[in-house]
Amino acid sequence: MLPAVVTEKLDVLPTAPGVYLFKDKKGVVVYVGKAKSLRSRVRSYFQEGSSDNRYFIPILLRTIGDLDTIVAGSEKEATILENNLIKEHRPRYNVKLRDDKDYISLKLDPTDEWPRLWVVRRPTLKPGDKARYFGPYHSATAARRTLHLVNKHFQLRTCTDTEMKSRKRPCLQHQIKRCPAPCVLDVERRWYEEQVRAVAMFLDGRHDELSDELDNRMRDAARAMHFELAAVYRDQLAAIEKVREEQRVVAVDDVDRDVLGLHREGDLVELALLHVRRGKLADVATFSVKGAEVPDEEVVAAFLAQHYLPGLSSDDGSDVDADTALPIPNEIIVPIVPDAATGISDWLSERAGHKVALVHPQRGQRVDLLALANDNARHAFSEKRRASDDVQERLTQLKERLRLPTVPRRIECCDISHLGGKDTVGAIVALLDGEPDKKRYRTFHVHGDGAAPKTTDAAPAPGGEGEGEGEGMGSLAGDDYRAMYEVLARRFRRGLRKQESRAMAIAEGEAEQDDDKPTSVKDLAAKVEGDEEGGEWDLPDLFVVDGGKGQLAVALAAARDLGIHELPIVALAKEKENVLGDTLVDRVYLPGQKNPIPLRSHSASMFFLARARDEAHRFSNRQREKLGKRKRFKSALDDVAGIGPNTKKLLLRHLGSLKAIKAADDATLLAVPGVTARHVKALRRVYPAPTPAPAPVQPSAVIETKSPTS
């Protein structure tokens, strides 16, 4: 049921173009849209039996609390106003297609001594700048693919200016015939300038003109018996011909156009944009939109604004630079005419500096292009869904292979890292549906004061034979076991505490409901998430330890000592050779099973376990290195409460060393700029004031007397 205030406003909506804002019951703007007729557009959201795909309606009816409209002078003004309001309010239900405010371009500066082509994010268009920028490219993949093609076939340097100045001999690029090495070799300037010009023509798409020039140069070099140079020109011609073959001819005219295809399943939308340049299909870009409850025409309108127009701010609140926006073609073919299409077209034309037409074809060659774009969108949607389905299928295979009770969507893995028994760090990483879930990564500094693990038949005593990291390490293996026990006990304890908090919150909610006090699921979740351990300590579906039977026994002991018996725990041992020289592949040890399960490297089951283990190993080593670095650079003054980093620097800069600071009296310390009596008092709590040296004893005067007999 709509609020009364909304119903009243629907009856008096104007027919003029403008912008409408839907607000929730708290007055927060949740959606901003534009219309060439506010009355017909806004009322269409609330008409029963409408033929449009109104996925937004169920959410709108639940959340809307108010409605505002702003009348504009034209459709173009409505488009600009909508863009500014989205930028200001950042409504949660408006479609967001990208979060990167800069597109990649390729820069070629002919004024450099030895020009090169490199990737830039934000062109620096300063007065007098003669550099050329090619692009921008819609994706980093497209830009770097082009850069790789140029570097492979056109011999320009790839090193930076700093690397070029410091180089003493040619690099590998020269050895594989991709760079003439102007850094150390005598390169003919005219020939290098020809390469620069050829690269510019290639990126400009002037393939016919460039092919003619290269063909003439190849023939001249062959007649002069410069066969190696002729071979370079031959390879460049082959590269251009390959690009031509890849660019499928899809139109008979030379009009630059983009063709937008759309495929929707529920609130999931896939968009495919075909870039047609001079009648040839130059590239295809796809974009995924999740949670798109709005109609298709509004998805198309949002795409046109966010993809081509730099006025919409990025997610960090900053404006998109006009110089980094994608080039706007002469014609954009769309699958459905967006509302206020005339205003969008006028705004695009103003930004592009030429006429831009929005076309929804009904017949002819453009219909075939639109069908091709829709097919690409449908194919991209299927491919991305298939990738997601493959992950679920592989997780199901892992469940069956390891005989797990549930599909292991959340996997955690533990690894211990140390350096000669010191700087011991335990790391736990998490995977969610096969991808790293970094917000659940945890690091534990091992204190060594935890209870030692209990040894069993499956867990060798410290110093005994084991597998994994503890193998062959003598007494140090026991330290690994104790470290792993401490880390896992701390992690499992937090998970157990989280379960208890959740059970308590649910019990309190049931009690409140018995007292006729309604408690929502959101309120119960807030109680659980509000505990001191946070909301990221839930136990996973599968826990993996890096090692063999010994590490598995330690992990089981840590869990069972805390009363955790239902958590699936396995150990993953690395590939190795036995005493007979036979290669033992990666093996998984299960509780209560003597023989491990061998996993081939190409198996689907091995993929997730190996990824978790490798990520845990990387993360633990990184944290151990950071801990060791902090310890090596640590100063004794860091442990003095009340002495901060800046004060420490001032003391060391003026007095020179810790020994001098300890020996300094209060007056000397106060003479250091920035040091106050409070800092001196803090130092004196740790380092007492030096005892003043005793005053030197003055020798007493001796009066010489003569003996009476002398």
Side-chain angles (χ1 to χ4, degrees):
M1 188 66 181
L2 290 177
V5 63
V6 176
T7 304
E8 293 174 0
K9 291 183 178 181
L10 288 176
D11 295 334
V12 294
L13 287 172
T15 58
V19 175
Y20 54 93
L21 299 88
F22 291 144
K23 299 181 179 180
D24 62 14
K25 294 177 173 59
K26 296 181 180 179
V28 178
V29 177
V30 295
Y31 186 75
V32 176
K34 63 180 176 301
K36 61 181 178 182
S37 173
L38 287 172
R39 182 177 180 84
S40 60
R41 182 59 187 159
V42 176
R43 289 171 66 90
S44 69
Y45 284 99
F46 310 101
Q47 292 176 353
E48 296 294 337
S50 177
S51 60
D52 65 354
N53 297 321
R54 296 172 297 133
Y55 298 95
F56 185 46
I57 296 303
I59 292 181
L60 179 62
L61 294 176
R62 293 196 304 265
T63 59
I64 189 169
D66 198 359
L67 165 67
D68 286 343
T69 56
I70 303 175
V71 176
S74 64
E75 295 180 26
K76 176 183 175 183
E77 290 183 10
T79 303
I80 298 174
L81 180 58
E82 179 203 31
N83 195 32
N84 293 333
L85 290 175
I86 292 176
K87 175 180 175 181
E88 176 183 353
H89 296 288
R90 308 185 65 79
R92 55 178 173 172
Y93 292 131
N94 279 88
V95 176
K96 298 180 180 64
L97 295 170
R98 59 182 173 87
D99 56 6
D100 190 0
K101 61 178 179 293
D102 294 334
Y103 288 102
I104 283 183
S105 299
L106 297 179
K107 180 178 180 179
L108 182 66
D109 191 353
T111 61
D112 288 343
E113 183 180 4
W114 301 100
R116 68 185 180 102
L117 188 70
W118 78 96
V119 172
V120 293
R121 281 280 181 183
R122 185 178 292 272
T124 55
L125 301 179
K126 299 179 181 179
D129 184 12
K130 297 183 180 179
R132 296 200 58 189
Y133 296 92
F134 303 94
Y137 294 86
H138 62 82
S139 69
T141 302
R144 298 188 189 281
R145 182 172 62 239
T146 303
L147 179 63
H148 173 74
L149 184 63
V150 170
N151 290 336
K152 181 178 180 180
H153 296 289
F154 297 90
Q155 297 192 13
L156 299 184
R157 69 179 176 101
T158 59
C159 57
T160 64
D161 294 339
T162 302
E163 292 173 337
M164 183 176 179
K165 292 178 181 178
S166 62
R167 193 168 295 282
K168 304 299 181 183
R169 59 180 181 179
C171 65
L172 180 62
Q173 293 294 320
H174 175 72
Q175 303 296 330
I176 61 177
K177 308 298 183 182
R178 292 189 180 181
C179 176
C183 51
V184 294
L185 301 181
D186 186 17
V187 177
E188 184 181 355
R189 179 79 59 179
R190 188 178 65 84
W191 178 85
Y192 195 90
E193 291 175 352
E194 287 181 355
Q195 294 294 300
V196 174
R197 184 172 179 272
V199 168
M201 295 174 65
F202 177 78
L203 295 177
D204 276 335
R206 297 157 59 186
H207 296 163
D208 294 338
E209 182 181 352
L210 179 59
S211 296
D212 293 339
E213 289 190 9
L214 291 177
D215 184 71
N216 293 332
R217 293 175 189 170
M218 179 183 67
R219 297 179 184 278
D220 292 342
R223 281 193 291 267
M225 304 186 70
H226 297 156
F227 298 116
E228 290 187 1
L229 182 59
V232 172
Y233 294 136
R234 179 203 61 198
D235 294 341
Q236 292 176 354
L237 280 170
I240 296 173
E241 189 61 31
K242 183 179 179 180
V243 171
R244 281 177 168 176
E245 292 175 357
E246 292 176 352
Q247 291 181 339
R248 171 183 170 187
V249 177
V250 294
V252 296
D253 54 18
D254 292 335
V255 176
D256 290 346
R257 55 170 60 91
D258 285 350
V259 188
L260 181 63
L262 183 146
H263 179 73
R264 177 195 282 271
E265 290 188 14
D267 63 346
L268 301 177
V269 175
E270 190 73 21
L271 298 169
L273 189 67
L274 309 184
H275 300 273
V276 180
R277 300 296 181 263
R278 300 184 182 182
K280 296 180 180 179
L281 180 59
D283 205 352
V284 179
T286 59
F287 307 85
S288 300
V289 184
K290 298 180 180 180
E293 290 88 0
V294 296
D296 291 346
E297 57 265 27
E298 298 190 30
V299 174
V300 171
F303 175 84
L304 296 176
Q306 297 184 41
H307 188 70
Y308 294 108
L309 302 177
L312 185 61
S313 66
S314 61
D315 282 350
D316 61 5
S318 57
D319 289 341
V320 181
D321 191 349
D323 296 325
T324 62
L326 288 177
I328 305 175
N330 302 97
E331 181 179 283
I332 302 176
I333 299 177
V334 293
I336 189 170
V337 179
D339 204 22
T342 303
I344 298 176
S345 178
D346 292 343
W347 195 18
L348 289 172
S349 300
E350 180 181 319
R351 290 301 182 100
H354 57 76
K355 178 64 176 178
V356 178
L358 289 183
V359 180
H360 177 56
Q362 302 297 326
R363 64 182 65 85
Q365 189 179 32
R366 291 184 177 86
V367 174
D368 297 334
L369 288 175
L370 184 58
L372 179 62
N374 289 331
D375 289 342
N376 276 272
R378 188 180 304 108
H379 175 71
F381 186 92
S382 301
E383 288 294 319
K384 294 176 182 179
R385 170 159 293 192
R386 185 178 299 114
S388 176
D389 293 341
D390 288 345
V391 170
Q392 297 302 321
E393 183 179 351
R394 284 185 287 177
L395 288 174
T396 303
Q397 292 177 8
L398 180 62
K399 168 183 175 294
E400 296 173 352
R401 190 75 187 273
L402 302 183
R403 300 189 293 277
L404 302 175
T406 60
V407 175
R409 293 190 61 230
R410 284 189 52 232
I411 302 175
E412 289 188 7
C413 183
C414 176
D415 184 51
I416 305 297
S417 179
H418 59 79
L419 184 62
K422 299 181 180 179
D423 299 341
T424 305
V425 171
I428 293 179
V429 302
L431 301 183
L432 180 62
D433 291 335
E435 295 297 327
D437 187 10
K438 294 192 175 182
K439 68 176 180 295
R440 295 181 184 269
Y441 281 24
R442 293 293 181 266
T443 304
F444 298 85
H445 293 173
V446 178
H447 306 305
D449 53 359
K454 302 174 183 177
T455 58
T456 64
D457 294 339
E465 183 181 359
E467 292 194 59
E469 290 192 2
E471 187 173 357
M473 298 180 68
S475 61
L476 187 59
D479 295 336
D480 276 356
Y481 289 139
R482 279 189 286 269
M484 178 168 288
Y485 183 90
E486 176 185 337
V487 169
L488 295 183
R490 290 162 63 183
R491 192 270 173 266
F492 293 155
R493 190 177 297 116
R494 287 168 170 80
L496 189 62
R497 193 176 304 166
K498 182 63 182 296
Q499 289 181 345
E500 294 172 351
S501 299
R502 179 177 287 105
M504 185 179 300
I506 294 175
E508 291 177 359
E510 292 176 351
E512 291 179 3
Q513 289 178 349
D514 293 340
D515 294 337
D516 297 330
K517 295 179 180 179
T519 302
S520 65
V521 176
K522 184 177 180 180
D523 294 335
L524 293 177
K527 288 185 178 181
V528 177
E529 299 299 327
D531 63 2
E532 62 179 4
E533 298 299 341
E536 306 297 341
W537 290 105
D538 292 314
L539 293 176
D541 301 318
L542 173 64
F543 201 94
V544 183
V545 292
D546 184 16
K549 289 185 288 187
Q551 282 78 5
L552 177 60
V554 171
L556 292 173
R560 291 168 182 170
D561 288 350
L562 293 171
I564 301 176
H565 301 282
E566 303 299 328
L567 175 64
I569 302 177
V570 301
L572 179 61
K574 299 182 180 67
E575 179 179 319
K576 70 170 188 177
E577 289 187 359
N578 59 15
V579 293
L580 300 178
D582 299 327
T583 300
L584 301 178
V585 299
D586 289 332
R587 305 165 314 284
V588 178
Y589 288 87
L590 303 181
Q593 180 172 314
K594 179 179 179 181
N595 296 323
I597 299 177
L599 293 179
R600 298 292 177 182
S601 59
H602 60 272
S603 67
S605 304
M606 181 60 197
F607 173 78
F608 296 110
L609 298 182
R611 185 170 192 178
R613 178 194 61 195
D614 296 342
E615 183 69 2
H617 187 65
R618 178 199 67 80
F619 188 60
S620 63
N621 285 338
R622 177 186 175 189
Q623 299 303 316
R624 188 254 307 159
E625 292 171 357
K626 292 173 63 176
L627 176 62
K629 184 177 180 180
R630 285 199 301 267
K631 286 186 176 181
R632 287 192 297 272
F633 289 96
K634 185 178 180 181
S635 169
L637 294 176
D638 294 335
D639 297 328
V640 179
I643 301 297
N646 293 332
T647 307
K648 180 187 71 173
K649 292 178 183 178
L650 291 172
L651 290 170
L652 292 174
R653 184 180 300 119
H654 287 82
L655 298 180
S657 65
L658 180 62
K659 182 178 180 181
I661 295 174
K662 292 180 179 180
D665 55 17
D666 292 356
T668 304
L669 293 174
L670 290 172
V672 176
V675 175
T676 64
R678 178 176 60 83
H679 297 135
V680 175
K681 186 177 180 180
L683 282 171
R684 291 294 173 246
R685 284 196 293 265
V686 181
Y687 305 117
T691 304
V697 179
Q698 298 293 333
S700 58
V702 179
I703 302 174
E704 184 179 354
T705 58
K706 291 183 179 181
S707 171
T709 59
S710 58

